[in-house]
Amino acid sequence: MKKFKFFVAITFLAITFLGCSSDSPSSSTSQWAMTAKVNGVQWEVNNAFNSNYATPSIYSYYPDADYIQLQGRYGGTFGINEIDLWIKRTDLQLGTYPVGPETDGVTTHIDLIDNSNSESENTLEGSITITEINTTTKVVKGTFNFTTSDDTFATPPVVNETITEGTFNYRYDTGEGKSSN
């Protein structure tokens, strides 16, 4: 019986002390591939496969040979809203890249896809800043912000969505997230 009580006491102490978090600052690694505030609402998202891998583009004007797509889907796999960021491979270097209607399908660009209504959101203006690239581990990190409108012909266009405090942390060119077709 003494062995049993000793075992229970040791197990309790091990769980108590090993299971506790330390008082040291937490790592800067996040479980989220992308974070942003969309009209003030915090989004913490991964791609549609719930990971931080870049995903193949479904758009022919953003071919995988020329672009890296970073997708953040709000609501998980079956979510209806997402932020898609395309980094042109020639822009895969530290720096800030402006985005707007003129960059759509041409160079590094970002879009908000809002499938909760029938209106298409078009990027008005913003920027993507690449802050870190690790070519060994194939990780790209950075920040972004932008605004969208569903009526870009209005003068001035009405801003429907304001995306601020955006961050991304994705693995690219790893072979993950590609369909087996």
Side-chain angles (χ1 to χ4, degrees), residues 39-178:
N39 290 335
V41 175
Q42 184 67 43
W43 282 24
E44 296 173 325
V45 298
N46 289 316
N47 69 22
F49 305 104
N50 198 32
S51 76
N52 71 330
Y53 292 101
T55 53
S57 180
I58 62 170
Y59 302 108
S60 60
Y61 47 92
Y62 289 113
D64 292 335
D66 298 330
Y67 291 89
I68 299 167
Q69 178 180 316
L70 311 180
Q71 177 189 57
R73 180 158 304 165
Y74 189 69
T77 301
F78 301 107
I80 59 173
N81 298 331
E82 66 188 43
I83 294 172
D84 290 331
L85 194 152
W86 293 274
I87 298 175
K88 190 159 186 164
R89 290 181 184 277
T90 55
D91 290 341
L92 190 57
Q93 51 193 321
L94 301 182
T96 298
Y97 302 90
V99 294
E102 70 282 355
T103 62
D104 192 7
V106 178
T107 190
T108 296
H109 188 69
I110 194 166
D111 272 335
L112 172 73
I113 299 175
D114 181 356
N115 289 313
S116 66
N117 60 50
S118 62
E119 302 295 327
S120 293
E121 292 297 325
N122 298 293
T123 301
L124 289 175
E125 65 179 347
S127 65
I128 298 167
T129 301
I130 298 175
T131 58
E132 184 178 331
I133 303 167
N134 186 319
T135 56
T136 303
T137 60
K138 301 290 188 177
V139 171
V140 59
K141 297 179 182 181
T143 62
F144 62 88
N145 65 77
F146 64 108
T147 56
T148 70
S149 175
D150 60 11
D151 184 5
T152 55
F153 296 108
T155 306
V158 176
V159 173
N160 295 77
E161 310 283 347
T162 300
I163 296 82
T164 59
E165 300 177 37
T167 68
F168 59 90
N169 179 356
Y170 281 82
R171 295 189 65 203
Y172 65 95
D173 291 348
T174 62
E176 297 292 325
K178 293 189 176 186

